[in-house]
Structure formats: structure tokens, C-alpha cells
Amino acid sequence: MIIKSFNTWAFKREQPGNPERLVPMVEAAARAGRPLEFVLYWGKGPRSEIAAPDLACLDYLGQLAERVRQAYAPGAIFRLIFTDTHASLNGHPAEVVDAYFGAIDAAAQARGFASARLSDVVAFAREIGADAPEEEPTGEVLASLMACAAKWYRGEGSTAQGALDYHRMNMVEKRAVAAAFPEAVFVTFNGSEFRDLFPATMPIFYMYSLRRGVGVKPWFMDAGFAAAKLADAETPEAKSSEAKSPEAKSLEAKSLESASSDASSPAGQPVS
């Protein structure tokens, strides 16, 4: 019942990764009487200030947490991992990054969420010897990273080098996250095509960002886009979709993802 409370098409964009790890993880939390923990990357896009898309995303995460609480009294806790390492690689000034993440952190804490900096998570992993040898990206992943870097990379050197540096960072970071949060579910707004960038040993929950059918990361959205998407949810057509069969909902969700693929593409920071 705990898993069913959140593993629904109201939140997920596709079936979880490593599903065989999800059940024992939830069982362990239930035996210990502790909240179910979710961790996710939160990135830095063009905006320097918190805005409506960010708040809408946090509220959507809150809805998932409430669904878990209704099925399981200890509830769920979300931990946002601010990807300061990625922001630095992409050329964002440190003071702008700190201000934006600080505002998101305050809004997250107001909703009962926790947070961490990815740089601190990596430092912890290095202290306990969780570093890993480098892995070469597959051709498909590298092509996607290079296309994304062409849109958003503003660091030193070529976009190709930026994409390679980003992949190299992720190979360390995914192991660092797994070492720091071994009892958590890893949440991502990306799809499984980027599975290699996520922790190998953690259950992966592929989730929409603002509501069902929207996979755009909030930090890449402007307020007007978010308002339009949220307004769509209030139309009679959107409300009537709740009565559709699970199969119809699944097909609709996939079509929505395809229609918004340009906006929801990883855009320079596939994981964040």
C-alpha cells in the first residue's frame, strides 16, 4: 500500500528503475518506523530568482509526500540535492547560484523538506573511499549530452569538452549519492534514457515535474510557461481524463511527454 500510494501515473512518467530494490527498501523503512526518504537533484537554469515553476514543483512533491502519509503514518521526506557542481561547470557565478539555491532551500524547508549540496555529498564520498574509476559514455548518451551542452554550457572550453566533463562528474556523483543515502529512493524528472547517470544501486523513480504530463524541469521554465501548463490542468478535458482507464492514461502521458520533448530535454544538465 505504501508503494501504491506514490507509484501511480498521477506522478510517475514511466515504471521505476531497479524495482526489485524498491520493495525491500520500503519494508525496511516500515520495520524501523521511519519516513520513506526520496532524494533528487535540483539544478540551476537561466533564472537567478525563485519563481512560480519552482514553487509549483515543490507543491507537487508535497502532494506525493501527503499521499504516502495517508497510507503510512511516518510519511515521506524529500531531500533536494542542489547541483552546485553542475552550475559551476556551466559557468554560473557562485553568488547567483548561492542566492537561487538559498531561496529554494527556504521554500523547501517551509514544506518540511531537507537539502544538501552535491559538492558536500561528493566530499563525503571521497572521505569514505567511495570514489570510482572513470566510465566512458556510450555514443547515444554522449550525443545527447553534447546537444544539451550546446544549449546551456557557458563554461570554459568547447561544448564537447563540457559534455565530457559533465559525464565524468556524474560518474563520481552517482556513487556519492548512493553512498550518502543508501536507504533512499532516487527521484528524477528525466527518463530512463539517462539511466547510466543515476545511482546504480538505488530504486529510481521517474517522475513528472509539475503535474501529470509535464516533464520540464522547473529551473528551466519561465513563469508564463508554468502558468499555462497549470491552467491546462483546470480545463474540463484535463479533469475528464481522471476517468480514463490506466492504459489510456499511460498512452496519453506518453504522448504528452513526446509533445513537450523539446522543452523537457535535459538541456545541458540532464540530471539536474
Side-chain angles (χ1 to χ4, degrees), residues 90-106:
N90 275 0
H92 293 289
E95 61 274 14
V96 174
V97 172
D98 290 342
Y100 174 70
F101 285 154
I104 297 296
D105 187 34

Side-chain angles (χ1 to χ4, degrees), residues 14 59 76 105 115 136 151 158 186 231 239 242 246 261:
E14 60 182 285
D59 287 340
D105 187 34
S115 69
E136 293 298 323
K151 296 180 181 179
S158 67
F186 185 83
K239 292 180 179 179
E242 296 303 317
S261 60

